[in-house]
Amino acid sequence: MDFTTPPIEDGFTAEKLFTQGFSYTYDDVIFLPHYIDFAADAVDLSTRLTRRLPLAVPFVASPMDTVSESAMAAAMASLGGIAVVHSNVPAAVQAAILRRAKSRRVPILSDPAFAAPSAVVEHDDAFGASPFLLVTDTGTSVGKLLGYVARSDWTNQTDKGLRVGDYMAPPPKPAPWNADLNKINEIMESEKSGAVALERDGEVVDLVVREEVERVRGYPKLVAPATVGADGEFMVGAAVGTREDDKERLEHLVKAGLNVVVLDSSQGNSIYQLEMVNYVKRVYPELDVIGGNVVTMYQAENLIQAGVDGLRVGMGSGSICTTQEVCAVGRGQATAVYNVSLIAYKSGVPVIADGGISNSGHIVKALSLGASTVMMGSFLAGSLEAPGAYVYQNGQRVKKYRGMGSLEAMTKGSDARYLGDTAKLKIAQGVVGAVKDKGSVLNFIPYTLQAVRQGFQDIGASSLQSAHDLLRSRELRLEVRSGAAQVEGGVHGLVSYEKKYF
Ligand SMILES: NC(=O)C1=CN([C@@H]2O[C@H](COP(=O)(O)OP(=O)(O)OC[C@H]3O[C@@H](n4cnc5c(N)ncnc54)[C@H](O)[C@@H]3O)[C@@H](O)[C@H]2O)C=CC1
Ligand SMILES: O=c1[nH]c(=O)c2[nH+]cn([C@@H]3O[C@H](COP(=O)(O)O)[C@@H](O)[C@H]3O)c2[nH]1
Ligand SMILES: [K+]
């Protein structure tokens, strides 16, 4: 490693800045521009999530019940990133969420309900949240597809006493489960059909309609390769806790095709987590395990010694987090990412900068300070792919977003795990809130990536590896921004303005 300094000294090295006794976060610091000798489009952001899991795009969706379920997992994988499915549901449900995301190769999911042709549907409950009822000979997903009923067709059906077999539409043309958008489009064109049925090994996976194909084709064209395993399925991660029953949960998840497990805790340096890391490494040697959360070198070192393949960094930095207020523990996220990355790098363990990302500049900072990926909750929670429906709040279209340590989330499912079975006093470490409608991640993630590439170009980093090299060779220069400098760095002095990023 070359530790020579650049010819003209200006600004500070990260090493100097982060050892002054201050806890800094992304907004506190600013990078000095360097030298550009490549195009922004040429910046390569490919990375690793863990020791053995490469990603084309350094973005990870948080294991939270208002962020990561099937639709988010399929979308993030199709973009070249990944999602970690939350564990605030029974193990079988979490495994089913995982399976659903991995059962197709397009970020289109309708989560269809099934019925036999003899079924009589008197209430729209039979559709669940799906726009379709798929009619098979068995009435389940395993069987021969005989036809389908769109929710609107059912609504328009005046005689609700009829059997669905009497008014269903004919079965759409089949397509293999792993057909991509082009292939699906081709089948629709050649068959002059408005829908195709994805099928796999005698099982009906889903119904894909033309409007959905057109919607997705209208987003920026994906250039990064999707996150796909050797079996051709999207890669998906999942969170588990560190209690005895989490071992059984993990077994369900592994059977469902889990690609990476996250041990989900706010303070990962615990006897419980070290034991769980040992257990996972012993029982599932092929499965990469991400430990955390950590914010110090000591915490990180203990988990690295235990054998983790990735580290999740951040304590109290999340937008919904109240941990620092409630427990007086945590660290400014920029300082945490820099310090943990410093030690993790020596063992070849990639770092995930988790929480506190609210714009593309924060992503540039996290990655340039040593992280290999960023994990995001609030940044993704307002998307179409996040669980839950949009509602209107003060005239704004929003989606619910809540901390996994909020009273509401704890009461919903993680209660025993979060508080201990005998705990009587509930202390929340998170809040329930709402975030603005951001449209599809398939639309705004490509723009975000381009903004990150432009930041990398400014600091002279043509790849993530080169950003890390600049950090370690002390060529990356930064400074702390004063309060006034932060104001200056934002929009200021205008009577009114509209902020649009793309
Ligand atoms: N990143 C952050 O800053 C924070 C994140 N969160 C999120 O909230 C959720 C819950 O986090 P935590 O409360 O840290 O969950 P946790 O499950 O790690 O800890 C909850 C409590 O259970 C105890 N515990 C864990 N395993 C045990 C075992 N085997 N035997 C006995 N006791 C055991 C822990 O020591 C702790 O007191 C997670 O989704 C986490 O990501 C919560 C707070 C902060
Ligand atoms: O203190 C906390 N109380 C909570 O209830 C909570 N829920 C999630 N998390 C963590 O926040 C991260 C997401 O943060 P952002 O919304 O800023 O992306 C997530 O990835 C988690 O690390 C919590 N932290
Ligand atoms: K916070």
Side-chain angles (χ1 to χ4, degrees), residues 6 8-13 17 29-36 364-365 368 455-461 470 474-481:
I8 304 169
E9 285 272 342
D10 198 357
F12 285 87
T13 62
L17 203 80
V29 299
I30 194 75
F31 295 148
L32 305 191
H34 197 40
Y35 176 69
I36 297 174
V364 174
K365 287 173 181 173
S368 305
F456 268 56
Q457 187 193 36
D458 285 335
I459 58 168
L470 288 171
R474 303 184 170 117
E475 279 174 87
L476 179 76
R477 293 288 163 147
L478 56 161
E479 280 170 352
V480 172
R481 292 197 293 184

PDB file of all heavy atoms in Angstrom, residues 6 8-13 17 29-36 364-365 368 455-461 470 474-481:
ATOM      1  N   PRO A   6      -0.382  13.333  -1.581  1.00  0.00           N
ATOM      2  CA  PRO A   6      -0.324  14.017  -2.872  1.00  0.00           C
ATOM      3  C   PRO A   6       0.637  15.208  -2.808  1.00  0.00           C
ATOM      4  O   PRO A   6       0.954  15.688  -1.710  1.00  0.00           O
ATOM      5  CB  PRO A   6      -1.751  14.466  -3.112  1.00  0.00           C
ATOM      6  CG  PRO A   6      -2.467  14.314  -1.827  1.00  0.00           C
ATOM      7  CD  PRO A   6      -1.717  13.372  -0.990  1.00  0.00           C
ATOM      8  N   ILE A   8       0.503  18.395  -3.333  1.00  0.00           N
ATOM      9  CA  ILE A   8       0.108  19.636  -2.658  1.00  0.00           C
ATOM     10  C   ILE A   8      -0.835  19.277  -1.513  1.00  0.00           C
ATOM     11  O   ILE A   8      -1.883  18.679  -1.728  1.00  0.00           O
ATOM     12  CB  ILE A   8      -0.621  20.600  -3.632  1.00  0.00           C
ATOM     13  CG1 ILE A   8       0.272  20.879  -4.833  1.00  0.00           C
ATOM     14  CG2 ILE A   8      -1.018  21.891  -2.908  1.00  0.00           C
ATOM     15  CD1 ILE A   8      -0.425  21.599  -5.961  1.00  0.00           C
ATOM     16  N   GLU A   9      -0.451  19.610  -0.306  1.00  0.00           N
ATOM     17  CA  GLU A   9      -1.274  19.320   0.875  1.00  0.00           C
ATOM     18  C   GLU A   9      -2.451  20.289   0.951  1.00  0.00           C
ATOM     19  O   GLU A   9      -2.260  21.497   0.919  1.00  0.00           O
ATOM     20  CB  GLU A   9      -0.427  19.473   2.143  1.00  0.00           C
ATOM     21  CG  GLU A   9       0.552  18.344   2.391  1.00  0.00           C
ATOM     22  CD  GLU A   9      -0.058  17.207   3.179  1.00  0.00           C
ATOM     23  OE1 GLU A   9      -1.097  17.422   3.821  1.00  0.00           O
ATOM     24  OE2 GLU A   9       0.506  16.091   3.121  1.00  0.00           O
ATOM     25  N   ASP A  10      -3.657  19.753   1.027  1.00  0.00           N
ATOM     26  CA  ASP A  10      -4.834  20.607   1.182  1.00  0.00           C
ATOM     27  C   ASP A  10      -5.907  19.750   1.846  1.00  0.00           C
ATOM     28  O   ASP A  10      -6.008  18.560   1.568  1.00  0.00           O
ATOM     29  CB  ASP A  10      -5.295  21.086  -0.207  1.00  0.00           C
ATOM     30  CG  ASP A  10      -6.206  22.301  -0.116  1.00  0.00           C
ATOM     31  OD1 ASP A  10      -6.523  22.732   1.003  1.00  0.00           O
ATOM     32  OD2 ASP A  10      -6.594  22.815  -1.187  1.00  0.00           O
ATOM     33  N   GLY A  11      -6.688  20.340   2.699  1.00  0.00           N
ATOM     34  CA  GLY A  11      -7.723  19.567   3.377  1.00  0.00           C
ATOM     35  C   GLY A  11      -7.104  18.556   4.334  1.00  0.00           C
ATOM     36  O   GLY A  11      -5.904  18.590   4.621  1.00  0.00           O
ATOM     37  N   PHE A  12      -7.961  17.642   4.825  1.00  0.00           N
ATOM     38  CA  PHE A  12      -7.508  16.653   5.803  1.00  0.00           C
ATOM     39  C   PHE A  12      -7.659  15.246   5.258  1.00  0.00           C
ATOM     40  O   PHE A  12      -8.521  14.979   4.429  1.00  0.00           O
ATOM     41  CB  PHE A  12      -8.341  16.763   7.081  1.00  0.00           C
ATOM     42  CG  PHE A  12      -7.981  17.941   7.918  1.00  0.00           C
ATOM     43  CD1 PHE A  12      -8.586  19.173   7.688  1.00  0.00           C
ATOM     44  CD2 PHE A  12      -7.031  17.848   8.932  1.00  0.00           C
ATOM     45  CE1 PHE A  12      -8.255  20.267   8.456  1.00  0.00           C
ATOM     46  CE2 PHE A  12      -6.695  18.943   9.701  1.00  0.00           C
ATOM     47  CZ  PHE A  12      -7.295  20.163   9.471  1.00  0.00           C
ATOM     48  N   THR A  13      -6.858  14.344   5.785  1.00  0.00           N
ATOM     49  CA  THR A  13      -7.081  12.937   5.470  1.00  0.00           C
ATOM     50  C   THR A  13      -8.219  12.459   6.385  1.00  0.00           C
ATOM     51  O   THR A  13      -8.447  13.041   7.458  1.00  0.00           O
ATOM     52  CB  THR A  13      -5.841  12.091   5.792  1.00  0.00           C
ATOM     53  OG1 THR A  13      -5.576  12.187   7.189  1.00  0.00           O
ATOM     54  CG2 THR A  13      -4.636  12.562   4.989  1.00  0.00           C
ATOM     55  N   LEU A  17      -9.093  13.399  10.301  1.00  0.00           N
ATOM     56  CA  LEU A  17     -10.399  13.976  10.639  1.00  0.00           C
ATOM     57  C   LEU A  17     -11.163  13.135  11.662  1.00  0.00           C
ATOM     58  O   LEU A  17     -11.808  13.674  12.557  1.00  0.00           O
ATOM     59  CB  LEU A  17     -11.233  14.086   9.360  1.00  0.00           C
ATOM     60  CG  LEU A  17     -12.337  15.102   9.410  1.00  0.00           C
ATOM     61  CD1 LEU A  17     -11.762  16.486   9.180  1.00  0.00           C
ATOM     62  CD2 LEU A  17     -13.373  14.802   8.359  1.00  0.00           C
ATOM     63  N   VAL A  29     -19.343  16.362   7.015  1.00  0.00           N
ATOM     64  CA  VAL A  29     -18.103  16.360   6.230  1.00  0.00           C
ATOM     65  C   VAL A  29     -18.362  16.640   4.754  1.00  0.00           C
ATOM     66  O   VAL A  29     -19.480  16.458   4.255  1.00  0.00           O
ATOM     67  CB  VAL A  29     -17.350  15.013   6.370  1.00  0.00           C
ATOM     68  CG1 VAL A  29     -16.957  14.778   7.817  1.00  0.00           C
ATOM     69  CG2 VAL A  29     -18.178  13.860   5.832  1.00  0.00           C
ATOM     70  N   ILE A  30     -17.329  17.122   4.094  1.00  0.00           N
ATOM     71  CA  ILE A  30     -17.431  17.369   2.649  1.00  0.00           C
ATOM     72  C   ILE A  30     -16.105  16.964   2.007  1.00  0.00           C
ATOM     73  O   ILE A  30     -15.046  17.177   2.579  1.00  0.00           O
ATOM     74  CB  ILE A  30     -17.790  18.862   2.368  1.00  0.00           C
ATOM     75  CG1 ILE A  30     -18.229  19.058   0.917  1.00  0.00           C
ATOM     76  CG2 ILE A  30     -16.660  19.822   2.748  1.00  0.00           C
ATOM     77  CD1 ILE A  30     -19.627  18.551   0.632  1.00  0.00           C
ATOM     78  N   PHE A  31     -16.189  16.336   0.843  1.00  0.00           N
ATOM     79  CA  PHE A  31     -14.966  15.910   0.139  1.00  0.00           C
ATOM     80  C   PHE A  31     -14.438  17.044  -0.723  1.00  0.00           C
ATOM     81  O   PHE A  31     -15.214  17.806  -1.311  1.00  0.00           O
ATOM     82  CB  PHE A  31     -15.256  14.714  -0.775  1.00  0.00           C
ATOM     83  CG  PHE A  31     -15.656  13.464  -0.041  1.00  0.00           C
ATOM     84  CD1 PHE A  31     -16.543  12.564  -0.625  1.00  0.00           C
ATOM     85  CD2 PHE A  31     -15.137  13.172   1.211  1.00  0.00           C
ATOM     86  CE1 PHE A  31     -16.905  11.403   0.048  1.00  0.00           C
ATOM     87  CE2 PHE A  31     -15.494  12.012   1.885  1.00  0.00           C
ATOM     88  CZ  PHE A  31     -16.386  11.125   1.297  1.00  0.00           C
ATOM     89  N   LEU A  32     -13.132  17.134  -0.839  1.00  0.00           N
ATOM     90  CA  LEU A  32     -12.548  18.085  -1.778  1.00  0.00           C
ATOM     91  C   LEU A  32     -12.468  17.399  -3.141  1.00  0.00           C
ATOM     92  O   LEU A  32     -12.126  16.215  -3.215  1.00  0.00           O
ATOM     93  CB  LEU A  32     -11.145  18.496  -1.317  1.00  0.00           C
ATOM     94  CG  LEU A  32     -11.038  19.068   0.097  1.00  0.00           C
ATOM     95  CD1 LEU A  32      -9.659  19.672   0.330  1.00  0.00           C
ATOM     96  CD2 LEU A  32     -12.101  20.133   0.353  1.00  0.00           C
ATOM     97  N   PRO A  33     -12.803  18.115  -4.208  1.00  0.00           N
ATOM     98  CA  PRO A  33     -12.720  17.495  -5.538  1.00  0.00           C
ATOM     99  C   PRO A  33     -11.272  17.180  -5.890  1.00  0.00           C
ATOM    100  O   PRO A  33     -10.344  17.825  -5.400  1.00  0.00           O
ATOM    101  CB  PRO A  33     -13.305  18.559  -6.461  1.00  0.00           C
ATOM    102  CG  PRO A  33     -13.264  19.838  -5.698  1.00  0.00           C
ATOM    103  CD  PRO A  33     -13.279  19.496  -4.244  1.00  0.00           C
ATOM    104  N   HIS A  34     -11.075  16.192  -6.745  1.00  0.00           N
ATOM    105  CA  HIS A  34      -9.721  15.772  -7.126  1.00  0.00           C
ATOM    106  C   HIS A  34      -9.516  16.020  -8.612  1.00  0.00           C
ATOM    107  O   HIS A  34      -9.777  17.125  -9.098  1.00  0.00           O
ATOM    108  CB  HIS A  34      -9.544  14.307  -6.715  1.00  0.00           C
ATOM    109  CG  HIS A  34      -8.125  13.839  -6.649  1.00  0.00           C
ATOM    110  ND1 HIS A  34      -7.100  14.594  -6.153  1.00  0.00           N
ATOM    111  CD2 HIS A  34      -7.565  12.652  -7.000  1.00  0.00           C
ATOM    112  CE1 HIS A  34      -5.959  13.924  -6.207  1.00  0.00           C
ATOM    113  NE2 HIS A  34      -6.227  12.736  -6.739  1.00  0.00           N
ATOM    114  N   TYR A  35      -9.097  15.042  -9.361  1.00  0.00           N
ATOM    115  CA  TYR A  35      -8.770  15.222 -10.770  1.00  0.00           C
ATOM    116  C   TYR A  35      -9.589  14.235 -11.605  1.00  0.00           C
ATOM    117  O   TYR A  35      -9.681  13.053 -11.269  1.00  0.00           O
ATOM    118  CB  TYR A  35      -7.276  14.967 -10.983  1.00  0.00           C
ATOM    119  CG  TYR A  35      -6.823  15.031 -12.424  1.00  0.00           C
ATOM    120  CD1 TYR A  35      -6.809  16.257 -13.092  1.00  0.00           C
ATOM    121  CD2 TYR A  35      -6.427  13.877 -13.112  1.00  0.00           C
ATOM    122  CE1 TYR A  35      -6.398  16.322 -14.416  1.00  0.00           C
ATOM    123  CE2 TYR A  35      -6.024  13.947 -14.426  1.00  0.00           C
ATOM    124  CZ  TYR A  35      -6.002  15.167 -15.079  1.00  0.00           C
ATOM    125  OH  TYR A  35      -5.603  15.227 -16.388  1.00  0.00           O
ATOM    126  N   ILE A  36     -10.193  14.729 -12.696  1.00  0.00           N
ATOM    127  CA  ILE A  36     -11.048  13.874 -13.529  1.00  0.00           C
ATOM    128  C   ILE A  36     -10.313  13.465 -14.803  1.00  0.00           C
ATOM    129  O   ILE A  36      -9.869  14.329 -15.555  1.00  0.00           O
ATOM    130  CB  ILE A  36     -12.345  14.622 -13.916  1.00  0.00           C
ATOM    131  CG1 ILE A  36     -13.173  14.956 -12.663  1.00  0.00           C
ATOM    132  CG2 ILE A  36     -13.155  13.804 -14.910  1.00  0.00           C
ATOM    133  CD1 ILE A  36     -14.402  15.813 -12.951  1.00  0.00           C
ATOM    134  N   VAL A 364     -22.427   8.600  -1.686  1.00  0.00           N
ATOM    135  CA  VAL A 364     -21.036   8.837  -2.109  1.00  0.00           C
ATOM    136  C   VAL A 364     -20.129   8.859  -0.872  1.00  0.00           C
ATOM    137  O   VAL A 364     -19.055   8.244  -0.856  1.00  0.00           O
ATOM    138  CB  VAL A 364     -20.918  10.181  -2.868  1.00  0.00           C
ATOM    139  CG1 VAL A 364     -19.461  10.498  -3.179  1.00  0.00           C
ATOM    140  CG2 VAL A 364     -21.745  10.150  -4.150  1.00  0.00           C
ATOM    141  N   LYS A 365     -20.588   9.528   0.179  1.00  0.00           N
ATOM    142  CA  LYS A 365     -19.771   9.633   1.391  1.00  0.00           C
ATOM    143  C   LYS A 365     -19.585   8.264   2.045  1.00  0.00           C
ATOM    144  O   LYS A 365     -18.467   7.893   2.406  1.00  0.00           O
ATOM    145  CB  LYS A 365     -20.405  10.631   2.365  1.00  0.00           C
ATOM    146  CG  LYS A 365     -20.240  12.084   1.900  1.00  0.00           C
ATOM    147  CD  LYS A 365     -21.008  13.063   2.760  1.00  0.00           C
ATOM    148  CE  LYS A 365     -20.823  14.492   2.239  1.00  0.00           C
ATOM    149  NZ  LYS A 365     -21.664  15.475   2.928  1.00  0.00           N
ATOM    150  N   SER A 368     -17.218   6.117  -0.059  1.00  0.00           N
ATOM    151  CA  SER A 368     -15.849   6.632  -0.116  1.00  0.00           C
ATOM    152  C   SER A 368     -15.158   6.558   1.232  1.00  0.00           C
ATOM    153  O   SER A 368     -13.941   6.616   1.304  1.00  0.00           O
ATOM    154  CB  SER A 368     -15.843   8.080  -0.603  1.00  0.00           C
ATOM    155  OG  SER A 368     -16.516   8.157  -1.829  1.00  0.00           O
ATOM    156  N   GLY A 455     -20.554  11.925  -8.386  1.00  0.00           N
ATOM    157  CA  GLY A 455     -19.787  12.235  -7.174  1.00  0.00           C
ATOM    158  C   GLY A 455     -18.429  11.546  -7.212  1.00  0.00           C
ATOM    159  O   GLY A 455     -17.399  12.140  -6.892  1.00  0.00           O
ATOM    160  N   PHE A 456     -18.441  10.284  -7.627  1.00  0.00           N
ATOM    161  CA  PHE A 456     -17.186   9.521  -7.727  1.00  0.00           C
ATOM    162  C   PHE A 456     -16.244  10.171  -8.744  1.00  0.00           C
ATOM    163  O   PHE A 456     -15.036  10.242  -8.529  1.00  0.00           O
ATOM    164  CB  PHE A 456     -17.479   8.068  -8.129  1.00  0.00           C
ATOM    165  CG  PHE A 456     -17.645   7.152  -6.951  1.00  0.00           C
ATOM    166  CD1 PHE A 456     -18.589   7.423  -5.968  1.00  0.00           C
ATOM    167  CD2 PHE A 456     -16.849   6.027  -6.796  1.00  0.00           C
ATOM    168  CE1 PHE A 456     -18.729   6.588  -4.861  1.00  0.00           C
ATOM    169  CE2 PHE A 456     -16.978   5.182  -5.699  1.00  0.00           C
ATOM    170  CZ  PHE A 456     -17.928   5.462  -4.728  1.00  0.00           C
ATOM    171  N   GLN A 457     -16.818  10.650  -9.835  1.00  0.00           N
ATOM    172  CA  GLN A 457     -15.985  11.293 -10.848  1.00  0.00           C
ATOM    173  C   GLN A 457     -15.302  12.530 -10.256  1.00  0.00           C
ATOM    174  O   GLN A 457     -14.109  12.759 -10.466  1.00  0.00           O
ATOM    175  CB  GLN A 457     -16.845  11.689 -12.059  1.00  0.00           C
ATOM    176  CG  GLN A 457     -16.032  12.214 -13.224  1.00  0.00           C
ATOM    177  CD  GLN A 457     -16.891  12.878 -14.276  1.00  0.00           C
ATOM    178  OE1 GLN A 457     -17.890  13.535 -13.969  1.00  0.00           O
ATOM    179  NE2 GLN A 457     -16.509  12.716 -15.532  1.00  0.00           N
ATOM    180  N   ASP A 458     -16.046  13.320  -9.484  1.00  0.00           N
ATOM    181  CA  ASP A 458     -15.486  14.547  -8.892  1.00  0.00           C
ATOM    182  C   ASP A 458     -14.307  14.269  -7.959  1.00  0.00           C
ATOM    183  O   ASP A 458     -13.366  15.059  -7.879  1.00  0.00           O
ATOM    184  CB  ASP A 458     -16.565  15.314  -8.119  1.00  0.00           C
ATOM    185  CG  ASP A 458     -17.538  16.039  -9.046  1.00  0.00           C
ATOM    186  OD1 ASP A 458     -17.135  16.352 -10.185  1.00  0.00           O
ATOM    187  OD2 ASP A 458     -18.684  16.279  -8.630  1.00  0.00           O
ATOM    188  N   ILE A 459     -14.385  13.135  -7.229  1.00  0.00           N
ATOM    189  CA  ILE A 459     -13.273  12.856  -6.305  1.00  0.00           C
ATOM    190  C   ILE A 459     -12.195  12.006  -6.988  1.00  0.00           C
ATOM    191  O   ILE A 459     -11.223  11.596  -6.355  1.00  0.00           O
ATOM    192  CB  ILE A 459     -13.739  12.178  -4.993  1.00  0.00           C
ATOM    193  CG1 ILE A 459     -14.467  10.861  -5.263  1.00  0.00           C
ATOM    194  CG2 ILE A 459     -14.610  13.134  -4.175  1.00  0.00           C
ATOM    195  CD1 ILE A 459     -14.680  10.026  -4.004  1.00  0.00           C
ATOM    196  N   GLY A 460     -12.379  11.751  -8.271  1.00  0.00           N
ATOM    197  CA  GLY A 460     -11.348  11.033  -9.032  1.00  0.00           C
ATOM    198  C   GLY A 460     -11.344   9.531  -8.818  1.00  0.00           C
ATOM    199  O   GLY A 460     -10.319   8.875  -8.988  1.00  0.00           O
ATOM    200  N   ALA A 461     -12.506   8.981  -8.450  1.00  0.00           N
ATOM    201  CA  ALA A 461     -12.596   7.538  -8.224  1.00  0.00           C
ATOM    202  C   ALA A 461     -13.368   6.903  -9.375  1.00  0.00           C
ATOM    203  O   ALA A 461     -14.556   7.158  -9.538  1.00  0.00           O
ATOM    204  CB  ALA A 461     -13.290   7.247  -6.899  1.00  0.00           C
ATOM    205  N   LEU A 470      -8.110   5.470  -2.810  1.00  0.00           N
ATOM    206  CA  LEU A 470      -7.852   6.897  -2.555  1.00  0.00           C
ATOM    207  C   LEU A 470      -7.919   7.200  -1.056  1.00  0.00           C
ATOM    208  O   LEU A 470      -7.144   7.994  -0.527  1.00  0.00           O
ATOM    209  CB  LEU A 470      -8.878   7.775  -3.287  1.00  0.00           C
ATOM    210  CG  LEU A 470      -8.743   7.860  -4.803  1.00  0.00           C
ATOM    211  CD1 LEU A 470      -9.950   8.580  -5.399  1.00  0.00           C
ATOM    212  CD2 LEU A 470      -7.457   8.596  -5.188  1.00  0.00           C
ATOM    213  N   ARG A 474      -4.497   8.062   1.308  1.00  0.00           N
ATOM    214  CA  ARG A 474      -4.635   9.432   1.860  1.00  0.00           C
ATOM    215  C   ARG A 474      -4.785  10.496   0.782  1.00  0.00           C
ATOM    216  O   ARG A 474      -4.586  11.681   1.034  1.00  0.00           O
ATOM    217  CB  ARG A 474      -3.450   9.786   2.764  1.00  0.00           C
ATOM    218  CG  ARG A 474      -3.280   8.790   3.906  1.00  0.00           C
ATOM    219  CD  ARG A 474      -2.165   9.222   4.815  1.00  0.00           C
ATOM    220  NE  ARG A 474      -2.148   8.419   6.022  1.00  0.00           N
ATOM    221  CZ  ARG A 474      -1.143   7.619   6.363  1.00  0.00           C
ATOM    222  NH1 ARG A 474      -0.086   7.518   5.607  1.00  0.00           N
ATOM    223  NH2 ARG A 474      -1.195   6.938   7.476  1.00  0.00           N
ATOM    224  N   GLU A 475      -5.113  10.079  -0.426  1.00  0.00           N
ATOM    225  CA  GLU A 475      -5.370  11.075  -1.472  1.00  0.00           C
ATOM    226  C   GLU A 475      -6.759  11.673  -1.332  1.00  0.00           C
ATOM    227  O   GLU A 475      -7.005  12.781  -1.789  1.00  0.00           O
ATOM    228  CB  GLU A 475      -5.217  10.428  -2.853  1.00  0.00           C
ATOM    229  CG  GLU A 475      -3.781  10.335  -3.303  1.00  0.00           C
ATOM    230  CD  GLU A 475      -3.672   9.558  -4.589  1.00  0.00           C
ATOM    231  OE1 GLU A 475      -3.808  10.163  -5.657  1.00  0.00           O
ATOM    232  OE2 GLU A 475      -3.471   8.324  -4.505  1.00  0.00           O
ATOM    233  N   LEU A 476      -7.678  10.929  -0.730  1.00  0.00           N
ATOM    234  CA  LEU A 476      -9.016  11.481  -0.490  1.00  0.00           C
ATOM    235  C   LEU A 476      -8.890  12.537   0.608  1.00  0.00           C
ATOM    236  O   LEU A 476      -8.377  12.264   1.690  1.00  0.00           O
ATOM    237  CB  LEU A 476      -9.989  10.386  -0.032  1.00  0.00           C
ATOM    238  CG  LEU A 476     -11.406  10.895   0.261  1.00  0.00           C
ATOM    239  CD1 LEU A 476     -12.167  11.156  -1.030  1.00  0.00           C
ATOM    240  CD2 LEU A 476     -12.194   9.922   1.119  1.00  0.00           C
ATOM    241  N   ARG A 477      -9.345  13.742   0.281  1.00  0.00           N
ATOM    242  CA  ARG A 477      -9.214  14.849   1.233  1.00  0.00           C
ATOM    243  C   ARG A 477     -10.595  15.359   1.618  1.00  0.00           C
ATOM    244  O   ARG A 477     -11.470  15.484   0.752  1.00  0.00           O
ATOM    245  CB  ARG A 477      -8.412  15.979   0.590  1.00  0.00           C
ATOM    246  CG  ARG A 477      -6.969  15.591   0.336  1.00  0.00           C
ATOM    247  CD  ARG A 477      -6.259  15.518   1.657  1.00  0.00           C
ATOM    248  NE  ARG A 477      -5.015  14.796   1.562  1.00  0.00           N
ATOM    249  CZ  ARG A 477      -3.956  15.098   2.310  1.00  0.00           C
ATOM    250  NH1 ARG A 477      -3.997  16.093   3.162  1.00  0.00           N
ATOM    251  NH2 ARG A 477      -2.866  14.365   2.212  1.00  0.00           N
ATOM    252  N   LEU A 478     -10.759  15.647   2.881  1.00  0.00           N
ATOM    253  CA  LEU A 478     -12.054  16.145   3.310  1.00  0.00           C
ATOM    254  C   LEU A 478     -11.906  17.168   4.420  1.00  0.00           C
ATOM    255  O   LEU A 478     -10.809  17.364   4.957  1.00  0.00           O
ATOM    256  CB  LEU A 478     -12.992  15.002   3.700  1.00  0.00           C
ATOM    257  CG  LEU A 478     -12.598  13.995   4.754  1.00  0.00           C
ATOM    258  CD1 LEU A 478     -13.834  13.293   5.265  1.00  0.00           C
ATOM    259  CD2 LEU A 478     -11.667  12.938   4.184  1.00  0.00           C
ATOM    260  N   GLU A 479     -13.003  17.802   4.733  1.00  0.00           N
ATOM    261  CA  GLU A 479     -13.031  18.783   5.814  1.00  0.00           C
ATOM    262  C   GLU A 479     -14.368  18.686   6.522  1.00  0.00           C
ATOM    263  O   GLU A 479     -15.326  18.159   5.972  1.00  0.00           O
ATOM    264  CB  GLU A 479     -12.865  20.212   5.242  1.00  0.00           C
ATOM    265  CG  GLU A 479     -11.416  20.554   4.939  1.00  0.00           C
ATOM    266  CD  GLU A 479     -11.257  21.855   4.166  1.00  0.00           C
ATOM    267  OE1 GLU A 479     -12.285  22.427   3.729  1.00  0.00           O
ATOM    268  OE2 GLU A 479     -10.109  22.278   4.000  1.00  0.00           O
ATOM    269  N   VAL A 480     -14.386  19.236   7.720  1.00  0.00           N
ATOM    270  CA  VAL A 480     -15.646  19.358   8.438  1.00  0.00           C
ATOM    271  C   VAL A 480     -16.294  20.658   7.980  1.00  0.00           C
ATOM    272  O   VAL A 480     -15.604  21.658   7.783  1.00  0.00           O
ATOM    273  CB  VAL A 480     -15.389  19.395   9.961  1.00  0.00           C
ATOM    274  CG1 VAL A 480     -16.669  19.728  10.712  1.00  0.00           C
ATOM    275  CG2 VAL A 480     -14.842  18.057  10.419  1.00  0.00           C
ATOM    276  N   ARG A 481     -17.602  20.619   7.771  1.00  0.00           N
ATOM    277  CA  ARG A 481     -18.305  21.852   7.378  1.00  0.00           C
ATOM    278  C   ARG A 481     -18.823  22.551   8.621  1.00  0.00           C
ATOM    279  O   ARG A 481     -19.463  21.913   9.468  1.00  0.00           O
ATOM    280  CB  ARG A 481     -19.497  21.512   6.472  1.00  0.00           C
ATOM    281  CG  ARG A 481     -19.087  20.983   5.124  1.00  0.00           C
ATOM    282  CD  ARG A 481     -20.237  21.065   4.136  1.00  0.00           C
ATOM    283  NE  ARG A 481     -21.355  20.162   4.482  1.00  0.00           N
ATOM    284  CZ  ARG A 481     -22.422  20.026   3.720  1.00  0.00           C
ATOM    285  NH1 ARG A 481     -22.550  20.733   2.607  1.00  0.00           N
ATOM    286  NH2 ARG A 481     -23.379  19.193   4.065  1.00  0.00           N
TER     287      ARG A 481
END
